[in-house]
Every structure is written in C-alpha cells, then in structure tokens.
Amino acid sequence: LRFNVVSLFPEIFSGFVSNGLIKRALDKSLISINFYNPRNFTKDKHRRVDDSPYGGGAGMVLRIEPLYNVIQHIKEVDPCTRVVYLSAAGKQLTQNLVNDYSQSDCSYTLVAGRYEGVDQRFIDLCVDEELAFGASILMGGEVPAMAFIEAVSRYVPDVLGNSESLVIETFLQDDPELGEYPQYTKPRSFLKIDVPDVLLSGNHQEIEIWRKVNRRKINR
Ligand SMILES: C[S@@+](CC[C@H](N)C(=O)[O-])C[C@H]1O[C@@H](n2cnc3c(N)ncnc32)[C@H](O)[C@@H]1O
C-alpha cells in the first residue's frame, strides 16, 4: 500500500518511519510513504504558506496555492490516489473503515492541516474525504496521519508478525460493547495477584470459553 503525506513538518515522521513494524514494512516494501512539504510548492518569495483569515478571527489559515500545487504534483506522479484531509470535522475513523481502506489498489494522500486549518476551496477542489481521529482538537494532522498509516497497514499482508492478531480484537467483536479478552504474561504472580488458573491449564477448549466469557467491556 502506498501513502503520500503532505505536511509542513515532515520531520515529525522521522521516528515513526525508523522504528518497529512500520520500519520493517518499509524495509520489506510492503508499504511506501512519500513526504511532500507544501512550502516547496509556493511561488511566494518568502515561501509563505499561511495568511490571516478573511473576515477576521483568530490564527492563520493555510493558503490554497501551495496545497493545490502539491496535490497536482502528486497526481502527476501517482495518478491513482485518494486525497484525505485529516480534519476534526471529518468522518470518524473506525475499525471497519480501516479494513475497507486497506483493500485499496490506489494510494492515499494524507493532508495534515496546521494552524486554524485550510482554505475551504482546497477542500472543495482537491479533497475526496475528510477523516477525524478522535473527538478532540489536535495541533496538526500529523498524528492522525500516522494513526491512519498504522491502522491501515496492519491489514496489509505480512505487516504483522502474526495475522491472527487481526481476528479477535477490540472493535471487531459480535457485541460492540465488548473488547478483547484480558491478556497476561510472566510472572505468574505479581503483588499476590495470580494469573487465572485456566490459562495455565493447557486445556484450549476451556481457555477459549474463559476468554469469551471474560471479554473486557469497552469504556466510553
Ligand atoms: C488546530 S487544528 C484546526 C482546528 C479547526 N480550527 C477546527 O475547529 O476544526 C489544525 C489541524 O489539525 C488537524 N486536526 C486537529 N484535530 C484533528 C482531529 N481530531 N482529527 C484529524 N485532524 C485533526 C487538522 O488537519 C487541522 O487542520
């Protein structure tokens, strides 16, 4: 799966691409991520990408020209791409959506806003979809873009060491109120709290029943 990331602060992603399963997926070419900085697509001699809002109000707004130009450029090199603007006003990213997104043959171009957001004409002209991550306002779209890449990449074959991890998970249960079962590892006892005996029994049928009955309730 291919991702293009449009961000004024691509350095934020340096730790993201050089650690853990994302690094492994990149090294094995299971996914690719290309970064584009709108600052490199402005004709302004000061490379200015933002300006004050028409009508007044707090903060600065990202100007349309650099964003429009960067999308045009990406579409020239990668014509089959879906432009996603990470936005608090977008559709909430759910696990079912993540699963659908992972099936795409086209790339995703993830646009991270900053300041007070982007000129509305950019959304109207260039954006296929607006996606929100959680129900709170962040400082920029970079963290949601990373979350999107992680969540979707988990469904790309061979990205996870164990594909069974995708089968029984929170958000994919028959009951939407329930999450995954409680997990334990060594030591068997900690501060006098013991791992449930059944998990040490070796009886897979009983373990399965215990896990089904003891699924964690999702806190909302
Ligand atoms: C400070 S926010 C702007 C918030 C905007 N004024 C509003 O009220 O929705 C700057 C950028 O962060 C990103 N952002 C903030 N919260 C987000 C969220 N919950 N999900 C996705 N993107 C978010 C968007 O790209 C946004 O343009």
Side-chain angles (χ1 to χ4, degrees):
L1 202 54
R2 307 181 319 278
F3 302 96
N4 305 305
V5 174
V6 176
S7 165
L8 287 174
F9 302 110
E11 311 78 36
I12 291 177
F13 293 82
S14 58
F16 178 68
V17 296
S18 50
N19 285 284
L21 290 178
I22 291 293
K23 176 180 182 336
R24 184 172 162 272
L26 288 165
D27 288 347
K28 292 182 140 193
S29 301
L30 301 173
I31 62 169
S32 67
I33 313 177
N34 292 307
F35 294 95
Y36 297 90
N37 190 336
R39 215 174 279 288
N40 299 330
F41 290 83
T42 170
K43 296 195 170 71
D44 184 282
K45 68 173 179 212
H46 302 295
R47 299 175 80 216
R48 222 177 139 175
V49 290
D50 60 332
D51 217 322
S52 49
Y54 278 123
M60 302 297 268
V61 175
L62 287 180
R63 293 166 57 103
I64 183 161
E65 296 100 325
L67 291 174
Y68 182 83
N69 293 343
V70 72
I71 297 298
Q72 294 308 109
H73 173 80
I74 290 170
K75 285 191 165 168
E76 272 165 30
V77 294
D78 183 5
C80 184
T81 192
R82 189 160 180 79
V83 178
V84 175
Y85 171 48
L86 284 318
S87 155
K91 186 159 62 176
Q92 287 289 344
L93 186 61
T94 62
Q95 195 64 16
N96 284 335
L97 279 179
V98 163
N99 197 349
D100 293 346
Y101 291 138
S102 69
Q103 316 292 323
S104 174
D105 290 330
C106 293
S107 69
Y108 291 98
T109 294
L110 307 172
V111 182
R114 278 270 153 182
Y115 317 126
E116 283 309 315
V118 299
D119 188 306
Q120 179 62 36
R121 291 167 292 184
F122 170 68
I123 299 173
D124 298 341
L125 282 172
C126 301
V127 170
D128 296 310
E129 194 162 10
E130 287 184 77
L131 278 184
F133 191 80
S136 59
I137 305 284
L138 307 172
M139 293 178 185
E142 285 78 6
V143 169
M146 287 188 244
F148 181 92
I149 295 171
E150 281 207 357
V152 174
S153 297
R154 293 180 81 242
Y155 284 91
V156 173
D158 301 329
V159 164
L160 294 187
N162 184 350
S163 59
E164 264 181 43
S165 311
L166 293 169
V167 181
I168 311 172
E169 275 195 314
T170 303
F171 303 129
L172 291 180
Q173 304 288 329
D174 42 13
D175 183 340
E177 304 265 294
L178 294 179
E180 200 186 32
Y181 49 79
Q183 306 267 14
Y184 295 91
T185 185
K186 287 173 185 154
R188 274 169 79 153
S189 188
F190 182 73
L191 296 179
K192 297 197 178 143
I193 305 170
D194 296 336
V195 172
D197 285 340
V198 63
L199 299 180
L200 312 169
S201 69
N203 185 330
H204 296 293
Q205 212 175 345
E206 277 188 24
I207 291 172
E208 208 177 305
I209 293 168
W210 182 90
R211 284 180 166 167
K212 210 166 172 109
V213 172
N214 287 279
R215 284 181 293 174
R216 298 175 42 145
K217 207 165 161 16
I218 296 178
N219 290 306
R220 293 230 194 275

